[in-house]
Amino acid sequence: MSDYENLSGNEKELQEFLMIEKQKAQVNAQIHEFNEICWEKCIGKPSTKLDHATETCLSNCVDRFIDTSLLITQRFAQMLQKQSSGGM
């Protein structure tokens, strides 16, 4: 039996809550990273309004980070699946 299965109902609820909060923190950290990197890449000088080229750059920048993050996540999931099935 895993440690998780030995927990009481309240302890399981707390563990699930903490896992969700950790995931939220990771998403927030990722968004912050996107903001920093894409800002440096796309914003020449701050102004009161974004021009079309800047909007496109920001959108493409974030899209590439999301694509890359998904690809890496899928790759790790595949590696874990192979490992758990005895493939490694």
Short mmCIF file of all heavy atoms in Angstrom, two decimals, residues 28-43 58 61-62 65:
data_model
loop_
_atom_site.label_atom_id
_atom_site.label_comp_id
_atom_site.label_asym_id
_atom_site.label_seq_id
_atom_site.Cartn_x
_atom_site.Cartn_y
_atom_site.Cartn_z
N ASN A 28 1.62 29.89 -12.01
CA ASN A 28 1.93 31.30 -11.81
C ASN A 28 3.40 31.60 -12.09
O ASN A 28 3.73 32.62 -12.70
CB ASN A 28 1.56 31.75 -10.40
CG ASN A 28 0.07 31.94 -10.24
OD1 ASN A 28 -0.64 32.24 -11.18
ND2 ASN A 28 -0.41 31.77 -9.02
N ALA A 29 4.29 30.71 -11.67
CA ALA A 29 5.71 30.90 -11.93
C ALA A 29 5.98 30.85 -13.44
O ALA A 29 6.78 31.64 -13.96
CB ALA A 29 6.53 29.82 -11.21
N GLN A 30 5.30 29.95 -14.14
CA GLN A 30 5.47 29.84 -15.59
C GLN A 30 4.99 31.11 -16.27
O GLN A 30 5.64 31.63 -17.18
CB GLN A 30 4.70 28.62 -16.11
CG GLN A 30 4.99 28.28 -17.54
CD GLN A 30 6.33 27.60 -17.71
OE1 GLN A 30 6.70 26.75 -16.94
NE2 GLN A 30 7.05 27.98 -18.73
N ILE A 31 3.85 31.63 -15.85
CA ILE A 31 3.32 32.87 -16.42
C ILE A 31 4.29 34.02 -16.19
O ILE A 31 4.56 34.82 -17.09
CB ILE A 31 1.92 33.18 -15.85
CG1 ILE A 31 0.92 32.16 -16.40
CG2 ILE A 31 1.49 34.60 -16.18
CD1 ILE A 31 -0.44 32.19 -15.72
N HIS A 32 4.83 34.08 -14.99
CA HIS A 32 5.79 35.13 -14.67
C HIS A 32 7.02 35.02 -15.59
O HIS A 32 7.52 36.03 -16.10
CB HIS A 32 6.21 35.04 -13.20
CG HIS A 32 7.17 36.09 -12.78
ND1 HIS A 32 6.80 37.41 -12.62
CD2 HIS A 32 8.48 36.02 -12.51
CE1 HIS A 32 7.86 38.10 -12.25
NE2 HIS A 32 8.89 37.28 -12.18
N GLU A 33 7.48 33.80 -15.81
CA GLU A 33 8.62 33.58 -16.70
C GLU A 33 8.29 34.01 -18.13
O GLU A 33 9.09 34.66 -18.79
CB GLU A 33 9.03 32.11 -16.67
CG GLU A 33 10.26 31.82 -17.50
CD GLU A 33 10.67 30.36 -17.47
OE1 GLU A 33 10.04 29.56 -16.75
OE2 GLU A 33 11.62 30.01 -18.18
N PHE A 34 7.08 33.65 -18.61
CA PHE A 34 6.65 34.08 -19.95
C PHE A 34 6.69 35.60 -20.04
O PHE A 34 7.18 36.16 -21.02
CB PHE A 34 5.20 33.64 -20.25
CG PHE A 34 4.99 32.17 -20.40
CD1 PHE A 34 3.72 31.66 -20.28
CD2 PHE A 34 6.02 31.30 -20.69
CE1 PHE A 34 3.47 30.30 -20.43
CE2 PHE A 34 5.80 29.95 -20.84
CZ PHE A 34 4.51 29.44 -20.71
N ASN A 35 6.13 36.24 -19.04
CA ASN A 35 6.08 37.71 -19.05
C ASN A 35 7.47 38.31 -19.16
O ASN A 35 7.71 39.20 -19.97
CB ASN A 35 5.41 38.24 -17.78
CG ASN A 35 3.91 38.12 -17.82
OD1 ASN A 35 3.32 38.02 -18.88
ND2 ASN A 35 3.30 38.12 -16.66
N GLU A 36 8.39 37.83 -18.35
CA GLU A 36 9.75 38.38 -18.36
C GLU A 36 10.44 38.17 -19.70
O GLU A 36 10.97 39.10 -20.29
CB GLU A 36 10.59 37.72 -17.26
CG GLU A 36 10.39 38.33 -15.91
CD GLU A 36 11.41 37.78 -14.91
OE1 GLU A 36 12.58 37.56 -15.27
OE2 GLU A 36 10.99 37.59 -13.75
N ILE A 37 10.42 36.94 -20.17
CA ILE A 37 11.15 36.62 -21.40
C ILE A 37 10.52 37.30 -22.60
O ILE A 37 11.21 37.90 -23.43
CB ILE A 37 11.24 35.09 -21.59
CG1 ILE A 37 12.14 34.51 -20.50
CG2 ILE A 37 11.77 34.74 -22.97
CD1 ILE A 37 12.14 33.01 -20.41
N CYS A 38 9.20 37.21 -22.72
CA CYS A 38 8.53 37.80 -23.88
C CYS A 38 8.59 39.32 -23.85
O CYS A 38 8.67 39.96 -24.89
CB CYS A 38 7.09 37.29 -23.97
SG CYS A 38 7.02 35.51 -24.33
N TRP A 39 8.57 39.90 -22.65
CA TRP A 39 8.71 41.37 -22.54
C TRP A 39 10.06 41.79 -23.10
O TRP A 39 10.16 42.70 -23.92
CB TRP A 39 8.56 41.80 -21.09
CG TRP A 39 8.73 43.28 -20.89
CD1 TRP A 39 9.88 43.97 -20.69
CD2 TRP A 39 7.69 44.26 -20.92
NE1 TRP A 39 9.64 45.30 -20.57
CE2 TRP A 39 8.30 45.51 -20.70
CE3 TRP A 39 6.30 44.19 -21.08
CZ2 TRP A 39 7.58 46.69 -20.65
CZ3 TRP A 39 5.59 45.38 -21.03
CH2 TRP A 39 6.21 46.61 -20.82
N GLU A 40 11.12 41.10 -22.66
CA GLU A 40 12.46 41.44 -23.13
C GLU A 40 12.59 41.25 -24.64
O GLU A 40 13.25 42.02 -25.31
CB GLU A 40 13.51 40.58 -22.41
CG GLU A 40 13.67 40.90 -20.94
CD GLU A 40 14.20 42.31 -20.68
OE1 GLU A 40 15.09 42.77 -21.42
OE2 GLU A 40 13.69 42.94 -19.73
N LYS A 41 11.96 40.22 -25.15
CA LYS A 41 12.07 39.90 -26.57
C LYS A 41 11.26 40.86 -27.45
O LYS A 41 11.70 41.23 -28.53
CB LYS A 41 11.61 38.46 -26.79
CG LYS A 41 11.67 37.99 -28.22
CD LYS A 41 11.25 36.53 -28.29
CE LYS A 41 11.14 36.01 -29.69
NZ LYS A 41 12.35 36.07 -30.47
N CYS A 42 10.08 41.25 -26.99
CA CYS A 42 9.13 41.92 -27.88
C CYS A 42 8.93 43.42 -27.64
O CYS A 42 8.53 44.14 -28.55
CB CYS A 42 7.76 41.24 -27.77
SG CYS A 42 7.77 39.51 -28.28
N ILE A 43 9.18 43.89 -26.44
CA ILE A 43 8.89 45.29 -26.14
C ILE A 43 10.17 46.11 -26.32
O ILE A 43 11.11 45.97 -25.55
CB ILE A 43 8.36 45.46 -24.69
CG1 ILE A 43 7.16 44.56 -24.44
CG2 ILE A 43 8.04 46.93 -24.41
CD1 ILE A 43 5.92 44.90 -25.21
N LEU A 58 4.33 39.17 -28.96
CA LEU A 58 3.99 38.65 -27.63
C LEU A 58 3.17 37.37 -27.73
O LEU A 58 3.42 36.39 -27.02
CB LEU A 58 3.24 39.71 -26.83
CG LEU A 58 4.07 40.88 -26.33
CD1 LEU A 58 3.16 41.97 -25.78
CD2 LEU A 58 5.07 40.44 -25.29
N CYS A 61 5.39 34.55 -28.98
CA CYS A 61 6.35 34.19 -27.94
C CYS A 61 5.70 33.27 -26.91
O CYS A 61 6.23 32.20 -26.59
CB CYS A 61 6.88 35.47 -27.28
SG CYS A 61 8.09 35.18 -25.97
N VAL A 62 4.56 33.66 -26.40
CA VAL A 62 3.86 32.85 -25.39
C VAL A 62 3.42 31.52 -26.00
O VAL A 62 3.56 30.47 -25.37
CB VAL A 62 2.67 33.63 -24.79
CG1 VAL A 62 1.83 32.73 -23.90
CG2 VAL A 62 3.17 34.83 -24.00
N PHE A 65 6.32 29.15 -26.01
CA PHE A 65 6.63 28.63 -24.67
C PHE A 65 5.62 27.57 -24.26
O PHE A 65 5.99 26.55 -23.68
CB PHE A 65 6.64 29.76 -23.64
CG PHE A 65 7.98 30.41 -23.51
CD1 PHE A 65 8.19 31.66 -24.05
CD2 PHE A 65 9.02 29.79 -22.86
CE1 PHE A 65 9.42 32.28 -23.95
CE2 PHE A 65 10.26 30.39 -22.75
CZ PHE A 65 10.46 31.65 -23.30
#
